[in-house]
Amino acid sequence: MRRRNMLAAAAASLAAATCGPLRGDAEPEIERAIPEARVNPWGTNAFLHKEVEFWKKEKTLEMARDAGIKWIKQQFPWEEIEQGRKGEFFDQTWQKPTWEKYDEIVDLAEEFDLKLIARVDRTPLWARQPGAAPEAPPPNFADFGDFLAVLAERYKGRIAHYQLWNEPNLAHEWGNPPDPKGYVDLLRSGYQRLKEVDPSIKVLAAPLAITLERSPRAMVELDFLEEMYQHGAGAYFDIMSANAYGLEFPPIAEPDPNVLNFRRVELLRAVMERNNDSDKAVWFNEYGWNASPADMAAEKLIWRRVTEEEQAEWTVEGIRYGRSHWPWAGVFCIWYLRQVGDIPPTSSEYYFRMIDPEFTPRLVYKEVKDNSKRIK
């Protein structure tokens, strides 16, 4: 406790010296010329497509609304919706349309006045190369574009934001060694088909995993984005997605190319500005701190760890910092609201949750609820 108090005092002192008080009701005024930055910043990630019981989906979104959350990032897996073959939207196992689950999610989001950001990825078996993982892109990018067009037509006027794929700078998320040009080709196909259905749709580029690794398994996200621009990516997305994990550092810790922390996103923003793309907002796909138990094995602490008190305070202070310092920052989707029980307590990822699987709110949930009306 003494060490935590000392850290908190040091963080508060540094904040006062650099950007004024971290906490308080009044937020500094900041000009936001970018339309997609003039949005309510409170978002989170949900896994509603994995939930079986309706009441649990309903309760999850009710608690999101009650905490002041306005945006839900929700996966719409291509492989689950267009299953057996191209144009088939029927589950042969359960003998029902695959749309039923997703129609229900969209209906519930509207009922609780929540906006959806649809993450679309995972190639169905019929569209993959033989032996390829679902994370791998299809050999025919037009198949992905065709699916997006059907999805956008079905939810026209109801879902306005689509994120195309996830973390393609990691081999296990791309199914192959990272390939910036390949991702841009996929992005182009999806962007063009979505805009044909509805020009007002906003396309989010895939978030890039923050990493220092340079190998066939991973590519530093700053390098990956630079190469994306070299292959013309700037013409094919409206909003840049970013991941912003704080690891063991407080939100005011300065960015450094050799360090992974919250403000590393400023380096990503610099790549955008060097490529004349400063008129776009950055939305945060996965954001937060991990509060694994102190006795968890070090090799499991992929995201390091902080205390639950630090997790709660720093989650709010990071959003406060972004909204008062970054005129290009939009929605912060906290990782994550609640999972369905498929992530065990033995996994470090379990301890990102705002709400336990049994619906017990954690400190971070309470802190967000207490501050969501103050930070807009």
Side-chain angles (χ1 to χ4, degrees):
M1 181 66 73
R2 181 181 178 188
R3 178 179 178 273
R4 184 163 66 243
N5 291 340
M6 291 174 66
L7 286 172
S13 177
L14 179 57
T18 58
C19 60
L22 279 176
R23 307 178 71 85
D25 290 344
E27 297 306 319
E29 291 293 328
I30 185 170
E31 183 179 355
R32 299 188 177 279
I34 304 170
E36 286 73 38
R38 296 197 300 269
V39 293
N40 188 297
W42 295 96
T44 190
N45 287 267
F47 308 100
L48 301 171
H49 65 299
K50 295 183 177 183
E51 198 70 78
V52 175
E53 297 172 273
F54 176 80
W55 75 267
K56 290 183 178 179
K57 300 176 190 179
E58 190 174 43
K59 180 67 173 176
T60 298
L61 293 186
E62 179 184 29
M63 291 187 74
R65 179 202 61 191
D66 291 349
I69 298 293
K70 295 297 182 183
W71 297 86
I72 298 291
K73 169 74 68 62
Q74 169 63 48
Q75 190 175 20
F76 284 67
W78 180 20
E79 68 169 345
E80 190 175 291
I81 300 174
E82 192 173 21
Q83 287 192 7
R85 63 180 183 270
K86 190 177 179 73
E88 182 179 284
F89 303 95
F90 191 80
D91 189 321
Q92 295 292 346
T93 301
W94 297 101
Q95 288 293 298
K96 63 180 182 180
T98 55
W99 292 115
E100 283 187 9
K101 177 193 299 186
Y102 297 93
D103 289 350
E104 184 178 77
I105 290 171
V106 174
D107 290 344
L108 278 171
E110 291 180 341
E111 179 182 338
F112 289 102
D113 195 25
L114 299 166
K115 295 181 179 180
L116 288 171
I117 305 167
R119 165 187 159 178
V120 189
D121 54 3
R122 297 188 66 87
T123 305
L125 184 61
W126 62 264
R128 297 178 213 161
Q129 290 182 324
E135 291 83 4
N140 182 6
F141 291 151
D143 287 333
F144 182 59
D146 291 344
F147 170 69
L148 283 168
V150 173
L151 187 67
E153 189 64 52
R154 187 174 189 88
Y155 299 121
K156 192 172 184 178
R158 305 180 75 189
I159 299 179
H161 298 83
Y162 289 84
Q163 173 193 305
L164 307 191
W165 230 257
N166 183 63
E167 298 180 343
N169 63 319
L170 299 181
H172 76 266
E173 292 282 3
W174 184 243
N176 301 291
D179 177 11
K181 181 182 184 302
Y183 174 65
V184 172
D185 290 341
L186 180 77
L187 180 65
R188 179 188 302 111
S189 176
Y191 177 92
Q192 291 174 339
R193 294 307 308 280
L194 286 170
K195 294 292 186 174
E196 287 171 7
V197 172
D198 184 353
S200 70
I201 283 174
K202 300 302 179 184
V203 175
L204 284 76
L208 304 176
I210 57 171
T211 180
L212 304 178
E213 185 173 347
R214 291 180 170 90
S215 77
R217 299 183 310 175
M219 185 173 178
V220 173
E221 81 279 14
L222 308 176
D223 300 339
F224 192 95
L225 181 58
E226 186 66 56
E227 289 197 31
M228 279 177 57
Y229 277 115
Q230 292 172 15
H231 293 293
Y236 302 111
F237 68 90
D238 303 303
I239 299 168
M240 185 64 209
S241 297
N243 284 353
Y245 288 111
L247 281 78
E248 69 267 45
F249 302 104
I252 57 173
E254 294 186 358
D256 183 314
N258 298 311
V259 176
L260 303 181
N261 62 13
F262 168 62
R263 286 180 58 194
R264 184 175 175 85
V265 70
E266 294 176 20
L267 307 180
L268 193 78
R269 180 65 184 181
V271 175
M272 295 176 65
E273 292 173 353
R274 285 199 303 271
N275 285 277
N276 301 311
D277 221 8
S278 57
D279 60 342
K280 293 176 183 172
V282 176
W283 287 16
F284 296 81
N285 164 67
E286 294 174 9
Y287 160 72
W289 282 260
N290 184 274
S292 289
D295 61 354
M296 180 161 283
E299 63 269 18
K300 292 186 177 182
L301 297 176
I302 302 170
W303 302 274
R304 309 294 194 273
R305 67 169 298 276
V306 297
T307 66
E308 279 205 68
E309 292 84 358
E310 289 168 333
Q311 179 191 50
E313 293 173 6
W314 290 357
T315 295
V316 168
E317 300 314 336
I319 295 177
R320 190 188 304 274
Y321 184 94
R323 294 300 283 179
S324 61
H325 287 76
W326 300 334
W328 37 266
V331 179
F332 289 75
C333 289
I334 299 166
W335 187 258
Y336 51 81
L337 180 62
R338 176 186 164 272
Q339 50 98 1
V340 303
D342 58 345
I343 303 173
T346 54
S347 169
S348 181
E349 191 170 12
Y350 181 92
Y351 300 96
F352 278 112
R353 83 281 191 223
M354 297 175 69
I355 304 167
D356 285 335
E358 300 78 17
F359 293 98
T360 303
R362 310 305 304 183
L363 286 177
V364 63
Y365 175 88
K366 297 172 183 176
E367 190 79 1
V368 167
K369 186 175 182 179
D370 287 346
N371 286 275
S372 57
K373 292 182 179 179
R374 299 171 180 163
I375 305 172
K376 295 183 179 180

